[in-house]
Amino acid sequence: MGIDFTHNAHPTMGIEMEIHLVDSVTGDLAPIAVDLLADAGAPHPHGEHPKAKHELFQSTVEVITGVCRTPGEAADDLLATIDELRPAVAQRGAKMASSGTHPFAIADRQLISPNPRYHQLVDTMQWPARRLLICGMHVHVGVPSGQHAVTIVNELTRHLPVFLGLSTSSPFFEGVDSGMSSARSLVFESLPTAGLPPQIAEWSDFEAFMETMIDTACIETVREVWWDIRPHPNFGTVELRMCDAMSTVAESVAVGALAQALVAWCIERIDEGTLPAPPTEWSTRQNRWLAARYGLDAELIVEHTDDEPRSATGHAAATAHHVRDRTVERSGARELLDRLVDTVRPTARRLGSLDDVERVLDIADAGSSTERQRAITRAGGGLDDVVHHLTAEFESDRALTPLVPQTD
């Protein structure tokens, strides 16, 4: 089975944000997406808005960009659509919030969107699909070829836990503190084609995988391969899907800028023949769990081949071990983020996105949305206070200091 891959000469970017619709008073989810998107789509061909879409439940919408060259262009694109939706959302007594989970809504009480595709998904997947009261943020980056795509997917698994840690925003699920920084990632990985991608060395291997899955009627299209990172042949992109929905457009675009710079760096290394060997699948799997559990506070496994430099200071150096031809050590997610930004700085400078990329360091300094949400409940606030905090952050497009309403 041959799969055509759209060529992208430039590492273009696109961002997709899944957004909760919540009642302005109670903070519970508001199933208004059908009417909202019908109104938004009315002026457009076939009655569909090109950049505001349905998701599984009627309490969620997805806002997408077009093909963008810069993070600034992506931010303007997202904000234009969101600003277009705001009045219609407010007219229905609702607000928008962005986080990996809604803090207290119950999945079984949500209405499924009318698209037959979603009803078929629930009918096929059953309980795992009915639990998918989650929102993610996805980033597409253009690459030259399918072979580039599978090679880059392997390398990006090394950095997957850092992206997940940055984006964590789902500590609560159905009214309970999960104890995780990203409950969303664990809910989603229960689907059969979700979670970590397998290590695939050649584009022909991906074609063989797709042929097997389609010929055996396990899936119909690549859209049903929900790996944390996947090639997208039609768009000619690598799609990063590991992130929780982030609470602001600004944070989402900063992480998108880091993704664009990292993929562009990978392309440069591939063309030079200097891209390092991918990490082992077992270490990536453990790191994904550690990031989901601890977020930016995770101590992650770092692998180096024997000809690569490793950390020379602190805890990591003290705990380094040799495993076959690799040295393994533990390093904190924040330290690895610093090192990743240092690595891609020259590439980001060439792309004109260095300021955007460096804003991820502000996220690490201020703390992820998970940390901000938990600060509210630890200070005595309720989960409704968490929702109102999330809507305020989305409205202002900036991370806010968590405040707990004072009681008489």
Side-chain angles (χ1 to χ4, degrees), residues 110-127:
Q110 306 310 309
L111 300 177
I112 300 171
S113 294
N115 189 322
R117 168 180 169 236
Y118 294 124
H119 288 270
Q120 180 181 350
L121 171 68
V122 173
D123 183 60
T124 301
M125 300 297 176
Q126 290 295 313
W127 183 70

Side-chain angles (χ1 to χ4, degrees), residues 29 35 42 72 77 89 116 121 134 186 214 254 256 261 312 357 372 395 407:
L29 287 174
D35 291 342
D77 199 336
V89 173
L121 171 68
I134 56 176
L186 300 186
I214 291 173
V357 168
R372 301 195 296 271
E395 179 67 28
T407 57

Side-chain angles (χ1 to χ4, degrees), residues 340-356:
L340 177 57
V341 171
D342 284 344
T343 295
V344 303
R345 269 198 177 96
T347 303
R349 191 173 288 113
R350 286 194 290 274
L351 292 172
S353 62
L354 182 56
D355 288 347
D356 301 286

Side-chain angles (χ1 to χ4, degrees), residues 384-408:
D384 55 338
D385 297 319
V386 174
V387 175
H388 295 313
H389 175 83
L390 289 168
T391 60
E393 289 197 329
F394 193 81
E395 179 67 28
S396 65
D397 197 29
R398 60 191 180 94
L400 299 174
T401 301
L403 298 175
V404 178
Q406 298 298 310
T407 57
D408 295 333

Side-chain angles (χ1 to χ4, degrees), residues 281-354:
E281 199 163 337
W282 60 262
S283 69
T284 302
R285 187 169 302 281
Q286 182 67 22
N287 280 343
R288 183 184 188 275
W289 190 91
L290 290 167
R293 170 65 177 87
Y294 299 105
L296 288 169
D297 291 329
E299 289 286 325
L300 301 169
I301 301 170
V302 183
E303 296 181 358
H304 307 280
T305 57
D306 285 345
D307 58 351
E308 288 182 292
R310 58 184 174 88
S311 174
T313 60
H315 173 74
T319 59
H321 300 279
H322 285 280
V323 179
R324 295 188 179 177
D325 61 340
R326 297 170 185 256
T327 299
V328 294
E329 56 187 357
R330 297 287 293 274
S331 291
R334 284 181 168 85
E335 177 189 349
L336 293 174
L337 174 63
D338 289 342
R339 286 158 59 178
L340 177 57
V341 171
D342 284 344
T343 295
V344 303
R345 269 198 177 96
T347 303
R349 191 173 288 113
R350 286 194 290 274
L351 292 172
S353 62
L354 182 56

